[in-house]
Every structure is written in structure tokens, then in C-alpha cells.
Amino acid sequence: MKGQRLGLRKRIGLKLFKDMQEHVVERHSLRTLFWECTLRCNLRCRHCGSDCRTDATLKDMPLSDFLRVLDEEVTPNTDPSRVLIIFSGGEVLVRPDLEEAGREVKRRGYKWGMVTNGMALTRERLNSLIEAGLCSVSVSLDGFEDIHNDIRQNPLSYSRALEALRLISKTGLAYDAITCVTPALVDRLDEWKELLISNGIRNWRIFSVFPAGRAKRDEGLHLNAEQFRKVMEFIRTTRKEGRINLSYACEGFLGGYEAEVRDHFYMCAAGVNVASIRVNGDISGCTSVRSNYTQGNIYEDKFWEVWQNRFEQFRNREWTKIDECAECKVWEFCKGGGMHLRNDEGKLMYCHYNMLK
Amino acid sequence: MNFKWKVALLTLLGFSTAACCGTKKTSKSEDKNLNKIEAEEEDPKIMLMYGVPFPEGEIARPVEDAKEFPDGSIAKPVTEEDAQKTLEAIRKEREANAEAEK
């Protein structure tokens, strides 16, 4: 129960934050827009969130279609300098027109970033992306060579990703390394941290596998409760040390670890401040949400009308008070967990708070 | 209780960063008094699972010399063995410090 316990100070803080969250939901200002520009990928990772229900043979969305949405729907209704556009995939670097996309987005006043596995990020490509206005980049690096390559199922993936991060760390870009912690890495996290620091990497984000997509059937990737608590303790200690900026990803309410393992209190911003345009034109919350919570499609609906008038499931989470959440004493802070943790039937697939018992 | 009070209370409790939605001072150009500053509510900057860090005005430059980090140290790939050695040195240092504190 230790990991779940909320002291008085934290409880008051969470209650205040909860009230502020209501303002945020009411305003629902668009702050991050994902563009799933491709589902093609140069790897086939064991834990991929773009699960097998998505069709990698789907064609990339033409850049002009995305720019039309920006020009007709987003730009007239927002301050572009306050909206971050994130190119995601698949693997974004397989798109040869990524630089053109970046330049066009930048020309309209938006900042943009991308998530990559680093496989195709040569120095030349990185430089051309920077020239196209790249502001922020995240690279997946899931542990030591044996662990990473096993998860990524490619013998070159570790060295390419590490080299990509080493290059990026020299550019002054906003960046981080993203590590999906699996059981094989839990007891070696200290050692892994030293390797990252030694390679000049100063920003690091950790998450753990949740049972969706390919990872659902791959139990060797899942942390048990004891391992999960170890990861939380490791993050807390590392943040106190201050040698590397480490945080746990946004997913899941973390009880007693709230505000200690990441910079902010828990909040699922999907559909509140975050929207995505999928490769087939579907409009949804963040790209982690793989279940069917699609709110519209850019080829049939007006994006801005969808953003303003739909997204009810994302903005009012009362419907998540079912099953184990119905009587949960922290629901007021958790609101039923991240939207990506709900399946098509609305059932919760994974509870971070329960892992801390 | 209004938004600003909540932000102030959270700050007093030591959660100014954790609340991460504060008020942003913005000038209101339409106003006759150009120097008037208005507080505007900011949204939380949630670091998304498959997102990227929010750029904070960093100035990126192309990589010209791959041999050096910004701090001037020489960049060479660090192996698992190197990391083990560093870790061992840190352990020893911690033990020595703990011993000295006794």
C-alpha cells in the first residue's frame, strides 16, 4: 500500500489541480496536434502500439491534405505559435517529403517535432530536418543492445538509435530518449542510466508496456507489481540526484508517486488539449489511443467543428466509473486512467494505481 | 476560489511545477495602456507518451563536428563495459562517502 498512500499535502494539491483541470477541459484549447503521416515502418517491434488492427499497407496521407486542414480549420481558430505539431508513424523518416512538410508547417507559424526509432537518422538527414525547422525530437531506446535489438527485432537498431541520440544531443534541439522498460532491464536501470549519461544524453523518459497491440500477447514484456514499484523508486531517486532529466510518461495515476516521478500531476490530455489526425483521416485524441474512439474524419467532417463539438467521451469521463473504477477512492484524481488504456468496450485494460498496492 | 488563487496555493504547497498550468503574463495591445499586463490561464504541458518535449526556445544548429558535445568533451560511443566501470566507480564513491559520514 506504500506506493498508493497519499499524504495530506499531496491530497490537497491534487484536489486543487483537479479543480484547475475542469477549467482546462472547459477551454479545451488545442495545444498538440499529432499527424500520423505514415504507418509504414522500417522495424517490427514486439511492443508496437500501432497494433495489428491497423493496416501498414494504408497509403501515407498526402501532405496537401494535412495542410488543407491546417489552413482551413486550425490556423484560423488558433494561435499557431501555441500549437505543437508532432509527426508520428509508423516511422516518420520513411517519408521522403518530411522536410517539405516541416518547412510548410513552420512557414505557417507552428513548431514541429517528431518521434523516431533512429534507424534512418543520418547526420545529413538530421541537418536537413533542422534546416526545415525541426524543434523537438524523441528517439526510442529500450535498453542495452541485447534488450533493445530483441524488442526491435533488428540487429542494427540499437547502434543506430544510440548514434541518433548522440548526434541530436549536439544540436541544441529539445529532445529525449524514450525507454520502454521491460523485465530484463528493471535490475539494470542504474547501469543503463550511466550509459545514457556517458553518451551525452540528458533527457530521458520511461514508460512500461500496457496490454494492447502486439504487446498484449507478449507477456515477457510486462512488468509485475514488484518490478513496477522498483521502476518508480528508481525514477524518484534519479530525479533527486539530478544528473539526468528523467520522468515517467503521462499514462496512469501513480498515487504516492504523483509529482515525484514526472514534472506534472497526472492528467490525460487526449481530446482536451491533444488531437490527432490519423493516416486515413480519422480524428481522435492522442496517437496512443488505439481503440475506436474516433470522433470524425477530415475527408468527411470539418476538423474544427469536430474539435469544438465532439470529443464528449474524452472531456467528460464519468462513463469510466465502471467495474473496478466504480468504487475506486482515487477516481476523482485519475478519471479512469488514460484513454489509451480503455478497450473498444470502454473497459480498463491496465491500472497503474493497482500496480502500486 | 479563482484560478489564480489555486495556482498560488499550489505554489505554497510546493507544487508549482506539478500543477504546470499557471498564468502567463501577456500584453494586451488593443488596450490604450500598452504597458498593461494581463494574466492569461495556461494549459498544462503534459509530456505525452508518444509525444516530444515542448520546445522552450532552443536554437538548433546542424551537426558539423560529430567529435564533440556542446560542453567540448570528446564524443565516443560508450560501451556497456564502460558504463559498468562508471557505475562501479560511483558505487565506490558512495560507499566512501557513507563511510566518511559514519
Side-chain angles (χ1 to χ4, degrees):
Chain A
M1 292 294 282
K2 198 182 165 194
Q4 290 189 321
R5 204 179 69 81
L6 286 171
L8 181 64
R9 186 179 71 98
K10 204 168 277 183
R11 192 170 278 276
I12 296 171
L14 281 163
K15 277 190 184 288
L16 287 164
F17 183 68
K18 185 192 84 168
D19 292 347
M20 291 165 71
Q21 226 177 298
E22 285 166 13
H23 288 258
V24 174
V25 173
E26 205 177 313
R27 282 199 308 271
H28 57 264
S29 314
L30 182 66
R31 293 287 174 250
T32 302
L33 177 60
F34 283 95
W35 178 36
E36 189 181 69
C37 58
T38 183
L39 277 180
R40 291 180 294 136
C41 190
N42 46 13
L43 290 176
R44 189 180 161 77
C45 307
R46 285 170 61 190
H47 60 355
C48 186
S50 300
D51 58 57
C52 299
R53 286 176 298 170
T54 55
D55 184 357
T57 60
L58 271 175
K59 282 186 179 169
D60 296 358
M61 181 185 285
L63 172 60
S64 56
D65 293 0
F66 177 65
L67 294 177
R68 178 185 59 78
V69 176
L70 284 189
D71 291 341
E72 294 176 7
E73 306 285 329
V74 185
T75 309
N77 294 297
T78 59
D79 171 358
S81 69
R82 299 184 72 182
V83 180
L84 176 65
I85 293 184
I86 303 177
F87 298 164
S88 80
E91 167 53 40
V92 291
L93 293 175
V94 303
R95 271 192 81 125
D97 62 347
L98 203 62
E99 284 83 348
E100 188 192 347
R103 269 192 294 275
E104 288 299 321
V105 163
K106 185 190 173 190
R107 196 164 64 80
R108 288 160 171 80
Y110 297 93
K111 288 179 178 161
W112 69 276
M114 65 176 197
V115 185
T116 175
N117 59 34
M119 278 293 282
L121 195 67
T122 59
R123 190 201 304 195
E124 291 71 27
R125 190 82 203 265
L126 178 61
N127 286 346
S128 75
L129 289 163
I130 289 171
E131 278 165 18
L134 176 67
C135 290
S136 184
V137 57
S138 295
V139 181
S140 305
L141 191 57
D142 292 334
F144 295 105
E145 190 160 12
D146 54 336
I147 298 172
H148 181 91
N149 287 348
D150 177 51
I151 293 174
R152 303 276 159 183
Q153 301 193 72
N154 185 305
L156 293 176
S157 58
Y158 173 83
S159 54
R160 297 270 179 91
L162 183 59
E163 183 57 20
L165 275 162
R166 293 175 64 249
L167 283 173
I168 290 163
S169 70
K170 293 170 201 151
T171 61
L173 283 168
Y175 77 97
D176 67 358
I178 316 175
T179 300
C180 175
V181 177
T182 48
L185 189 64
V186 172
D187 291 326
R188 301 174 71 190
L189 278 167
D190 253 322
E191 205 182 320
W192 178 236
K193 173 182 73 183
E194 295 308 327
L195 190 141
L196 293 178
I197 293 172
S198 309
N199 277 287
I201 297 159
R202 293 290 175 269
N203 304 299
W204 183 22
R205 189 173 5 143
I206 277 178
F207 72 100
S208 48
V209 162
F210 58 91
R214 286 181 203 143
K216 190 174 182 177
R217 294 178 297 275
D218 201 335
E219 291 194 355
L221 299 176
H222 295 235
L223 301 184
N224 61 32
E226 190 191 343
Q227 289 164 334
F228 187 71
R229 277 194 307 274
K230 269 189 184 176
V231 173
M232 292 299 116
E233 285 298 326
F234 169 78
I235 300 175
R236 178 148 69 183
T237 309
T238 301
R239 286 170 66 92
K240 279 183 187 161
E241 271 179 8
R243 296 168 59 225
I244 185 166
N245 303 316
L246 171 62
S247 66
Y248 190 68
C250 65
E251 54 167 3
F253 179 72
L254 298 171
Y257 291 99
E258 277 299 315
E260 293 185 41
V261 294
R262 52 192 165 205
D263 293 343
H264 49 77
F265 282 129
Y266 168 73
M267 175 188 168
C268 175
V272 175
N273 300 121
V274 182
S276 64
I277 295 175
R278 299 285 166 79
V279 74
N280 62 355
D282 282 352
I283 301 166
S284 187
C286 76
T287 45
S288 306
V289 182
R290 305 312 302 187
S291 302
N292 187 16
Y293 294 103
T294 302
Q295 302 295 304
N297 188 290
I298 61 159
Y299 297 111
E300 293 160 14
D301 305 290
K302 295 271 185 201
F303 175 87
W304 198 253
E305 274 180 26
V306 172
W307 176 252
Q308 289 294 70
N309 303 319
R310 298 188 195 169
F311 282 96
E312 175 67 13
Q313 284 167 307
F314 289 81
R315 292 171 192 166
N316 181 352
R317 307 271 173 107
E318 286 291 323
W319 63 271
T320 65
K321 275 187 184 171
I322 52 169
D323 306 327
E324 60 190 302
C325 297
E327 302 297 325
C328 181
K329 60 187 179 186
V330 295
W331 188 91
E332 62 174 323
F333 306 131
C334 168
K335 301 276 196 294
M339 282 294 284
H340 68 291
L341 300 172
R342 297 269 158 186
N343 65 15
D344 285 341
E345 289 75 46
K347 291 190 178 299
L348 188 65
M349 295 185 281
Y350 186 91
C351 174
H352 291 76
Y353 183 68
N354 273 347
M355 292 293 279
L356 298 170
K357 269 181 186 167
Chain B
M1 198 189 302
N2 78 20
F3 192 86
K4 276 189 276 183
W5 278 108
K6 285 171 193 162
V7 173
L9 257 176
L10 278 162
T11 308
L12 275 174
L13 288 166
F15 293 125
S16 56
T17 314
C20 74
C21 47
T23 53
K24 187 188 179 186
K25 288 177 178 173
T26 52
S27 59
K28 202 178 178 186
S29 55
E30 302 89 340
D31 199 300
K32 284 178 187 172
N33 180 0
L34 290 175
N35 294 322
K36 188 178 174 183
I37 300 294
E38 190 181 70
E40 185 188 327
E41 290 178 17
E42 272 200 286
D43 295 300
K45 287 188 171 172
I46 306 289
M47 187 64 218
L48 304 170
M49 193 153 130
Y50 292 120
V52 298
F54 288 91
E56 303 286 355
E58 293 90 346
I59 298 168
R61 57 194 178 281
V63 190
E64 286 165 9
D65 184 357
K67 290 177 184 166
E68 284 189 2
F69 288 122
D71 64 4
S73 60
I74 301 297
K76 64 179 175 83
V78 177
T79 63
E80 206 167 321
E81 200 181 336
D82 297 331
Q84 281 281 15
K85 282 180 192 165
T86 313
L87 196 66
E88 192 54 37
I90 288 169
R91 271 196 208 112
K92 280 181 183 164
E93 194 184 324
R94 278 182 191 156
E95 281 169 13
N97 288 342
E99 198 62 36
E101 277 175 20
K102 280 180 191 171

